[in-house]
Amino acid sequence: MTTAKTACILCSRNCGLEIDFVDGHLKKIRGDAAHPSSKGYLCNKAARLDYYQNHADRLTHPLKRQPDGSFVRVTWDEALGDIARRLDAIRDTHGGYAFAFVGGGGQGNHLGGAYSRQLLSAMKSRFVYSSLAQEKTGDFWVNGRLFGAQNCHPMEDVEHADYVLFIGANPYQSHGIVNARDTLREIKNNPGRTMVVIDPRRTETADQADIHLQLRPGTDAFLLLAMLSIIVRENLHDQAFIDAHCTGFDQVRAELHRVPVADYATRADVPLADVERVARGFATAKRGCVRVDLGTQQTLHTTLNAYLEKLLYLVTGNFGQSGSNNLHTAFLPLIGNTDETKVKPGKSLKRTAFHKMAPIGGMYPPNILPDEILKAGEKRIRAVFCDSSNPVLTYPDSTAQEQAFKSLELMVVVDIAMTETARLAHYVLPAASQFEKLEATGFTLEFPENYFHLRHPIAQPMGEALREPEIYTRLLETMGVIPRQFPVLTTIARNEPDLTGHLGYMTALGLTLSRNKRWAPYGASIMYRTLGKALRDAAAAPLLPIAMAYAKEHAVAVRRAGHKGSLLTLGANLFRAIIREESGTVISRHEHSEMWSLLKTPDQRVHLHVPEMIEAIHALSREVPAADRFPFILMAGERRSYNANQIFRDPAWRKVDKHGALRMHPDDANALSLANGDIARCTTKRGMLEVTVEIDDALRRGVVTLPHGYGVSFQSSKPIGPPINRLTSTSHCEPFSRTPFHKYVPAAICKPNAI
Ligand SMILES: Nc1nc2c(c(=O)[nH]1)N[C@H]1C(S)=C(S)[C@@H](COP(=O)(O)OP(=O)(O)OC[C@H]3O[C@@H](n4cnc5c(=O)[nH]c(N)nc54)[C@H](O)[C@@H]3O)O[C@H]1N2
Ligand SMILES: Nc1nc2c(c(=O)[nH]1)N[C@H]1C(S)=C(S)[C@@H](COP(=O)(O)OP(=O)(O)OC[C@H]3O[C@@H](n4cnc5c(=O)[nH]c(N)nc54)[C@H](O)[C@@H]3O)O[C@H]1N2
Ligand code: SF4
Ligand SMILES: [Mo]
């Protein structure tokens, strides 16, 4: 038995863990009290992690699909040799439009991204399709306009707030905030603090709240505008804050004055007195913050919702202080900045061939992927590399995604398991699990103290599985884009005394890359093969320049976190600490007043006036509620106690809710003569599923929910629980960001024999 430190890989909190590893199994799983953020906290799901590590769908060898759909085992050399030849041919014949990278890191594994993204350069492509672009890109776009860059990302300091608004977020189940259940309990038990939940369902979080506004689904924009209007009409905005830190308030205020408050409260179906109470309460609280999630991001008016939610905390001055919303630093960069107004003269954003869609935050949305594969003619995507994602189950319209993937000239899946998506691939490449390699995430989302957790392997890869750094480096070498050896760099890395902070190596690398510009995009793999030889784990090598850049940009805060060194050595010392500290490292400690330096607007002010959003406010005022032939609104993808994206495959991991039930209000169930446990049919414009009914008086009438994370065909079985994206469609999305309206899917429910 060994006991090792690592982290949970099931959600963006990545709580620190201490695990007893016995005979290949993750046995006793405890919270790690030394972890800088979770401090020993865990939720119910972490105890089940052995079901991720050990299950019958784990991959142990590279596989090649045969014409009859079966797979045969091949060697790594055969697989990578053939993949490299086919990629070269596709690029040389059709150019950069022909290749897309799909996925690239789930809830726990972003280090591999430093390596996998190099393949885009090798394929002359910029097309990264990511799940983040089916939830957060509307939000990133707004951040670009308000704060000057799409990767200026605000988070909320719920732990220290007196007044918290949860809008379309259920942190009791989904977490996403520091030690969610403890934090919620503390607010609940403190009479001086107020928690408001805005959600069509009385969620587990709403059960802890002081106030629950059970709005009609898809009406957040109306409700938020009504709240903002009340705030400016009653002069509850923070004029001193606005004068000091913002521009454009006058135009915004003029718009807000025009909002028909009572009408909009009615549209949202929330009593006006409640809207007023929350607007006033939030605006006058000493320290308030707003947390949103998929309930505003995967529903109608996605991008406008993001703008209004941010206006709420900005006009009330709840920004840049303890207990408010704050920008934070980023260590591993997750989000890019592709704001069309920031493109350098002579350059343009790479638009997709069919939808002419520009990237947001550097990513393209899953909703357009099938069309870009099937309908883009000569410029269509012909080859896809899919890594750490299971788009057949998780992207909108499983049937369309399958059809598109089946038409590809080359599809390669890198995963730890045989998934629904992998079954469609020409090659399936087995990756080491997250407990079998050095790993980390870019979920470094805290302020004023931010931390980074580099996890070391606690087990050996299974069979012939390889770690992603090795897979992608070998592929690039096989494609001939980088040589297999760099003798000079290897020698310098080996011989340089550790104390110099790899300065000699970094200088030599800089010279090599400036003399051989064609190698510049492949720095991660070059460092892995050369500097890696001098490190405890080669995969850490690209973190050195990242740590150096971070230390340069935030030198004062890095030193305040206890790291020492001169301008030249601080970064290398930070890098060393990151490798050494097995529970995670505090990388920076800011003062709240320093948050303003993280803004990227030239005047370091927040630009409140966003013309496109003002236009969206006008469009909203003209919107007439649509009559639909479907009587229900289905929320396709609820977070519950036993789902965790598509990370687990073995259904035995679940203690409850084995069927992934359809929740429905008792009155609706009565009207359809449905009882708990009955089978019902759920039909949408796109598909039909048979589901198990669970009666739930926490819902609004006319709203039903299905969970995310089910529908797995474990060991090629029939889908277990609802594969919800059979019900969703690629065109049911926000026209602007193309994020799907998963929380607002018109549906009909009936008894199976009723049709
Ligand atoms: N247990 C568990 N936790 C997870 C995950 C998981 O799969 N399982 N996944 C992780 C990931 S990737 C993510 S992105 C997060 C998502 O986390 P959340 O967004 O918190 O989770 P959801 O349950 O998808 O949606 C949140 C709430 O939105 C509400 N909602 C639906 N429609 C509307 C609306 O029109 N307006 C408002 N205001 N609310 C609405 C729903 O009732 C629901 O309570 O969870 C993370 N954590
Ligand atoms: N209808 C509907 N659809 C949704 C949602 C919804 O609410 N409703 N939620 C959306 C959201 S918010 C998200 S974030 C996505 C999530 O969906 P995806 O982007 O598909 O992400 P995961 O489910 O995390 O993907 C997990 C895959 O990564 C593999 N994996 C695990 N560890 C490793 C590793 O170390 N290396 C490699 N190479 N692979 C690994 C797992 O085996 C699994 O196949 O789903 C989205 N889809
Ligand atoms: S799933 Fe639970 S234990 Fe795991 S990181 Fe999220 S909150 Fe922590
Ligand atoms: Mo997500």
Side-chain angles (χ1 to χ4, degrees):
M1 183 189 95
T2 50
T3 298
K5 304 246 186 179
T6 179
C8 177
I9 56 150
L10 300 174
C11 88
S12 63
R13 294 308 313 171
N14 304 123
C15 298
L17 301 181
E18 204 172 48
I19 295 186
D20 292 347
F21 189 68
V22 190
D23 298 333
H25 288 272
L26 310 179
K27 277 285 180 212
K28 238 181 150 184
I29 299 178
R30 303 173 291 274
D32 176 6
H35 187 269
S37 173
S38 62
K39 301 189 174 90
Y41 177 87
L42 280 187
C43 80
N44 61 300
K45 297 189 289 300
R48 315 297 283 173
L49 277 169
D50 197 48
Y51 287 96
Y52 159 81
Q53 173 67 12
N54 290 292
H55 63 80
D57 275 345
R58 279 288 311 263
L59 294 164
T60 50
H61 300 93
L63 297 171
K64 180 179 184 182
R65 188 157 51 83
Q66 302 302 292
D68 68 357
S70 65
F71 284 92
V72 293
R73 190 172 152 178
V74 288
T75 65
W76 276 103
D77 282 350
E78 283 171 277
L80 294 179
D82 193 33
I83 292 168
R85 267 190 303 278
R86 290 162 75 170
L87 286 176
D88 281 348
I90 288 170
R91 180 201 52 218
D92 294 348
T93 316
H94 304 288
Y97 275 100
F99 180 80
F101 187 85
V102 169
Q107 302 297 300
N109 52 321
H110 301 154
L111 192 59
Y115 296 89
S116 60
R117 296 299 166 94
Q118 302 174 112
L119 193 52
L120 285 161
S121 303
M123 291 302 291
K124 298 190 168 28
S125 164
R126 303 231 189 103
F127 297 117
V128 179
Y129 287 82
S130 155
S131 278
L132 266 181
Q134 64 168 318
E135 47 172 323
K136 306 262 179 297
T137 33
D139 193 274
F140 300 161
W141 184 88
V142 173
N143 291 338
R145 292 304 165 88
L146 290 172
F147 308 124
Q150 291 173 345
N151 47 11
C152 281
H153 184 250
M155 279 294 273
E156 51 289 317
D157 186 3
V158 175
E159 262 185 301
H160 302 104
D162 303 306
Y163 204 107
V164 184
L165 291 180
F166 290 115
I167 315 179
N170 183 12
Y172 186 88
Q173 295 296 22
S174 63
H175 289 79
I177 60 168
V178 178
N179 302 353
R181 292 175 185 178
D182 290 354
T183 303
L184 295 175
R185 194 177 320 112
E186 274 177 40
I187 305 178
K188 182 185 175 183
N189 292 340
N190 185 335
R193 301 173 73 191
T194 307
M195 188 197 312
V196 179
V197 169
I198 301 180
D199 196 304
R201 179 167 175 268
R202 193 183 69 247
T203 57
E204 296 76 2
T205 309
D207 275 337
Q208 317 253 330
D210 301 278
I211 303 173
H212 175 209
L213 306 185
Q214 195 163 8
L215 83 175
R216 182 178 283 139
T219 61
D220 297 76
F222 294 100
L223 181 66
L224 295 177
L225 273 167
M227 286 169 62
L228 282 160
S229 187
I230 293 164
I231 290 170
V232 296
R233 282 166 197 245
E234 299 185 7
N235 272 318
L236 298 175
H237 55 276
D238 185 340
Q239 192 65 50
F241 172 91
I242 293 167
D243 290 344
H245 297 298
C246 304
T247 66
F249 178 63
D250 291 344
Q251 289 106 315
V252 174
R253 177 167 49 188
E255 289 302 327
L256 295 179
H257 270 287
R258 282 197 277 273
V259 168
V261 174
D263 268 15
Y264 278 18
T266 309
R267 286 288 282 263
D269 196 23
V270 177
L272 180 59
D274 288 354
V275 184
E276 288 170 342
R277 180 174 166 216
V278 172
R280 290 171 191 150
F282 182 71
T284 54
K286 198 156 156 245
R287 302 182 298 181
C289 70
V290 185
R291 161 96 191 158
V292 296
D293 215 328
L294 301 183
T296 62
Q297 293 164 346
Q298 290 187 338
T299 189
L300 312 183
H301 319 116
T302 317
T303 305
L304 179 59
N305 290 343
Y307 177 62
L308 299 175
E309 161 259 317
K310 289 166 208 287
L311 280 187
L312 258 185
Y313 60 76
L314 291 168
V315 303
T316 53
N318 284 304
F319 191 55
Q321 52 169 318
S322 171
S324 74
N325 290 71
N326 283 290
L327 298 176
H328 60 84
T329 63
F331 192 72
L332 281 186
L334 274 189
I335 313 166
N337 180 27
T338 42
D339 187 324
E340 64 273 24
T341 61
K342 307 285 175 340
V343 177
K344 293 195 182 97
K347 299 251 175 202
S348 61
L349 291 173
K350 186 87 175 174
R351 289 183 181 271
T352 63
F354 185 77
H355 284 281
K356 311 283 179 240
M357 175 88 193
I360 302 177
M363 340 166 193
Y364 296 84
N367 279 64
I368 65 169
L369 182 58
D371 284 350
E372 300 296 340
I373 295 174
L374 292 169
K375 297 189 182 161
E378 274 309 297
K379 283 189 167 174
R380 70 182 181 275
I381 296 168
R382 295 159 195 263
V384 160
F385 236 79
C386 172
D387 183 327
S388 308
S389 187
N390 189 0
V392 165
L393 289 186
T394 59
Y395 281 11
D397 196 340
S398 300
T399 311
Q401 304 286 347
E402 273 171 346
Q403 192 197 348
F405 294 149
K406 281 183 188 159
S407 79
L408 290 167
E409 288 166 33
L410 177 65
M411 171 142 180
V412 180
V413 166
V414 182
D415 204 297
I416 69 151
M418 181 51 95
T419 66
E420 292 63 23
T421 307
R423 286 189 195 114
L424 304 180
H426 298 96
Y427 282 97
V428 182
L429 304 180
S433 87
Q434 296 178 53
F435 299 108
E436 298 164 353
K437 64 192 170 210
L438 197 80
E439 257 306 353
T441 72
F443 295 134
T444 47
L445 309 171
E446 305 298 317
F447 187 87
E449 195 172 281
N450 211 350
Y451 65 92
F452 181 69
H453 188 187
L454 184 66
R455 293 127 45 190
H456 295 269
I458 63 177
Q460 285 302 313
M462 275 189 191
E464 289 176 8
L466 290 177
R467 298 157 173 146
E468 285 85 349
E470 183 65 27
I471 296 176
Y472 289 99
T473 303
R474 275 198 207 177
L475 178 59
L476 295 173
E477 290 165 347
T478 311
M479 291 172 81
V481 293
I482 46 169
R484 287 182 194 271
Q485 283 177 355
F486 293 85
V488 177
L489 288 176
T490 307
T491 309
I492 296 176
R494 275 219 176 109
N495 296 339
E496 194 172 19
D498 193 40
L499 279 178
T500 62
H502 312 289
L503 277 178
Y505 172 87
M506 287 307 291
T507 311
L509 177 71
L511 274 174
T512 306
L513 297 185
S514 67
R515 282 196 199 125
N516 301 279
K517 294 223 161 42
R518 65 185 191 285
W519 294 340
Y522 311 109
S525 280
I526 296 172
M527 295 186 74
Y528 169 76
R529 282 281 188 252
T530 55
L531 176 65
K533 297 209 163 75
L535 301 175
R536 176 174 158 189
D537 192 317
L543 295 177
L544 174 62
I546 290 175
M548 290 169 91
Y550 189 88
K552 192 171 165 208
E553 195 177 347
H554 309 293
V556 174
V558 170
R559 288 208 179 90
R560 215 183 269 130
H563 305 285
K564 299 201 164 49
S566 66
L567 262 184
L568 285 175
T569 57
L570 184 64
N573 287 342
L574 177 63
F575 173 67
R576 264 193 217 106
I578 284 171
I579 293 184
R580 189 179 59 232
E581 301 295 339
E582 304 214 325
S583 293
T585 314
V586 176
I587 52 176
S588 55
R589 195 168 279 140
H590 281 84
E591 306 277 348
H592 277 97
S593 58
E594 294 163 347
M595 189 211 72
W596 300 100
S597 70
L598 303 178
L599 274 171
K600 292 284 187 276
T601 45
D603 53 4
Q604 286 210 340
R605 281 170 170 262
V606 181
H607 294 189
L608 296 177
H609 178 233
V610 179
E612 291 90 335
M613 293 295 102
I614 301 295
E615 184 39 50
I617 293 174
H618 295 166
L620 194 75
S621 70
R622 299 188 293 266
E623 204 178 282
V624 193
D628 206 297
R629 65 188 170 94
F630 291 98
F632 286 90
I633 294 300
L634 164 69
M635 295 179 188
E638 191 171 54
R639 269 65 187 167
R640 296 183 183 170
S641 51
Y642 281 93
N643 56 10
N645 291 355
Q646 228 64 55
I647 302 168
F648 287 110
R649 293 191 61 78
D650 183 347
W653 89 276
R654 295 197 170 95
K655 288 194 173 172
V656 296
D657 199 15
K658 301 242 176 210
H659 304 294
L662 175 99
R663 289 176 169 163
M664 141 180 267
H665 190 274
D667 293 354
D668 290 331
N670 272 339
L672 294 167
S673 307
L674 287 167
N676 252 334
D678 281 358
I679 301 295
R681 274 193 186 159
C682 178
T683 310
T684 66
K685 224 174 181 173
R686 192 66 189 105
M688 189 277 285
L689 288 177
E690 296 215 330
V691 292
T692 306
V693 172
E694 179 188 319
I695 294 177
D696 179 6
D697 68 1
L699 281 166
R700 278 179 68 99
R701 255 179 258 149
V703 177
V704 290
T705 73
L706 281 173
H708 176 52
Y710 284 70
V712 167
S713 299
F714 184 56
Q715 291 281 283
S716 302
S717 69
K718 281 200 346 207
I720 299 161
I724 48 174
N725 284 310
R726 296 273 166 209
L727 298 175
T728 60
S729 118
T730 53
S731 58
H732 188 52
C733 64
E734 196 203 30
F736 180 72
S737 61
R738 301 232 180 221
T739 47
F741 294 148
H742 284 330
K743 302 288 181 215
Y744 197 92
V745 182
I749 312 292
C750 65
K751 290 192 134 192
N753 54 9
I755 303 178

